[in-house]
Amino acid sequence: MRHIDDAERRARLARRHGLADGFPDVVAATRAMTVLHATEAATVHLSLWARVPGVAVADVEAALYDERAIVKQLAMRRTLFVFPRDLLPAAWGSAAARVAGQQRQQLAKWVVQASISAAPDEWIDTVTADVLAAMADGTARTTRELRALVPELDGRFTHGAPDKKWSGEFPIGAWVMTTLGAEGRVVRGANAGHWRLNKPTWVRTDRWVGDAGEPWPGDEGYAELVRRWLTTFGPGTETDIVWWLGATKGIVRRALVDVGAVEVSLDGGGVGWVLPDDVEPAPAVEPWAALLPTLDPTVMGWKERGFYLDGADVPFLFDRNGNAGNTAWWDGRVVGCWVQDDAGVVRVLLRHDLPAEATAALDLEAERLTTWLDGVRIVNVYASPQMKGAALS
């Protein structure tokens, strides 16, 4: 069994994630990363800024909304991602289908709880058919605009205990549209607001991407997702893949067999997996600096993160659910985070003493990002404890 130590894993990360050399364009970067996280709208643009030299906001918007070469899709772990268009059918038949089933089950509960209908499945079928009919002209519409066309979307349900800050009364329409999105029948079209905010419009999938292909059989879809994950993140452990995929061990183990994955040993005694044509040693890279956004795909690619992250830093840089805030990287390791001041100037907050070469490189990245943002301030839902502490100081 070949051994891949932590240093080689970091070298692989640097090259395959475009953090040492970069990618030529938005689509190439997205394909190389398998998917981009899109739960926070700004993450997509900032993840691409970190990987595509000279990229502009307009380049990202064009790939998403004009060329539609990359498409937003709810999938693994009920998370919103940006997919390369050709990967959508694999996701629709596997990870997205799994989420869609969960979404529909929860939606049915809300329908009954709110006394909207005592026959939730029939209600969902009728309303979704009405929504798709209203969207037949291909016009991109917000959920609010769709509620005007399909009044049933305006039904309300109560969620959460009264003493919880996130509890309240919510329109059922948001759940209907999210379920349709997970099923691959509608997609998020052009954003109705600023690029840093999630204000999606909805479009029927067939009107947005045309004939993208039928959903793959589940096993084939999972195998393709795991194959691409291994290309981007390998070696990784079974635990990493189960977590990232939001699936069961049984699903992951079958997918590993289907792609012919090969076992390798890792530092610390663990076992990882790589594709059969990916066992050759990866050469070292020169030291590099990067500033990555909240929920960046590099940071969120593994559950077992010890090869690039000091365990003592986790409570400062991640929330309790394992969601990463902004991170600062030097030579393959997370060394702190970055924040913006009231004027939009980016500052790096280090958690470790670094050589002058490293601090100079990170300061240069901060200047470069400040210039690129040009006064736009990013507000993060998933800000890390260290980021929140900086905001209060």
Side-chain angles (χ1 to χ4, degrees):
M1 186 185 300
R2 189 166 101 71
H3 184 76
I4 299 181
D5 63 21
D6 287 350
E8 183 179 346
R9 295 183 75 182
R10 292 192 290 269
R12 285 170 170 248
L13 179 158
R15 283 201 173 88
R16 298 181 186 196
H17 294 203
L19 299 174
D21 303 314
F23 296 110
D25 56 53
V26 165
V27 177
T30 305
R31 290 185 63 83
M33 295 308 302
T34 301
V35 290
L36 304 175
H37 275 258
T39 301
E40 293 201 3
T43 295
V44 177
H45 297 72
L46 293 172
S47 291
L48 291 165
W49 167 83
R51 295 173 169 85
V52 183
V55 73
V57 168
D59 299 326
V60 181
E61 304 280 285
L64 277 168
Y65 308 131
D66 298 331
E67 302 158 15
R68 301 167 192 177
I70 56 176
V71 181
K72 292 183 179 180
Q73 171 68 44
L74 195 73
M76 298 77 75
R77 305 190 317 277
R78 198 181 175 273
T79 298
L80 184 64
F81 294 96
V82 169
F83 278 77
R85 182 169 163 172
D86 71 296
L87 187 54
L88 287 171
W92 289 336
S94 57
R98 181 182 176 88
V99 171
Q102 296 165 346
Q103 283 285 127
R104 186 181 176 104
Q105 185 178 37
Q106 185 61 69
L107 175 58
K109 290 181 179 179
W110 296 140
V111 168
V112 172
Q113 177 186 303
S115 299
I116 294 173
S117 174
D121 290 330
E122 290 84 348
W123 184 91
I124 293 170
D125 289 341
T126 299
V127 172
T128 54
D130 290 344
V131 169
L132 293 171
M135 300 174 74
D137 62 0
T139 301
R141 295 181 174 91
T142 65
T143 304
R144 181 187 296 273
E145 290 169 334
L146 286 168
R147 290 206 305 265
L149 298 176
V150 184
E152 289 82 359
L153 295 179
D154 207 29
R156 304 281 166 150
F157 69 94
T158 302
H159 177 44
D163 60 336
K164 299 295 184 181
K165 64 180 180 180
W166 43 263
S167 65
E169 188 179 74
F170 304 94
I172 202 77
W175 274 85
V176 172
M177 297 312 299
T178 301
T179 300
L180 281 170
E183 291 173 347
R185 295 199 278 174
V186 303
V187 294
R188 287 162 172 80
N191 208 31
H194 194 280
W195 62 264
R196 75 189 192 284
L197 303 173
N198 261 331
K199 292 188 176 181
T201 59
W202 296 96
V203 190
R204 271 180 35 169
T205 303
D206 57 350
R207 300 296 190 267
W208 190 252
V209 295
D211 184 12
E214 292 297 315
W216 289 16
D219 290 342
E220 294 179 20
Y222 278 122
E224 180 63 9
L225 289 174
V226 168
R227 186 184 69 80
R228 297 214 191 185
W229 186 92
L230 287 172
T231 301
T232 302
F233 299 100
T237 66
E238 180 183 282
T239 297
D240 291 327
I241 305 171
V242 168
W243 176 80
W244 182 87
L245 199 57
T248 65
K249 289 183 178 180
I251 288 172
V252 169
R253 288 170 181 171
R254 171 162 182 166
L256 289 169
V257 170
D258 288 344
V259 301
V262 176
E263 285 185 304
V264 296
S265 61
L266 304 174
D267 283 357
V271 173
W273 296 89
V274 295
L275 291 172
D277 59 355
D278 191 28
V279 294
E280 294 301 315
V285 298
E286 294 296 319
W288 52 274
L291 300 181
L292 301 184
T294 295
L295 301 178
D296 183 85
T298 292
V299 195
M300 299 298 294
W302 297 270
K303 183 174 178 61
E304 298 181 317
R305 301 165 172 142
F307 73 98
Y308 69 78
L309 177 68
D310 188 328
D313 293 337
V314 171
F316 299 93
L317 302 175
F318 290 75
D319 68 16
R320 293 179 180 178
N321 294 319
N323 297 307
N326 298 342
T327 50
W329 291 67
W330 171 249
D331 199 19
R333 295 193 65 87
V334 176
V335 293
C337 74
W338 62 270
V339 295
Q340 288 178 282
D341 64 19
D342 291 340
V345 175
V346 174
R347 294 188 295 128
V348 177
L349 305 179
L350 296 175
R351 295 205 51 78
H352 302 273
D353 292 331
L354 298 178
E357 174 193 12
T359 56
L362 286 167
D363 286 344
L364 183 61
E365 288 297 293
E367 291 174 15
R368 194 168 70 87
L369 182 53
T370 298
T371 300
W372 190 83
L373 287 169
D374 193 24
V376 172
R377 294 192 69 248
I378 306 300
V379 179
N380 298 110
V381 175
Y382 293 94
S384 65
Q386 186 171 21
M387 291 167 65
K388 292 177 180 178
L392 296 174
S393 62

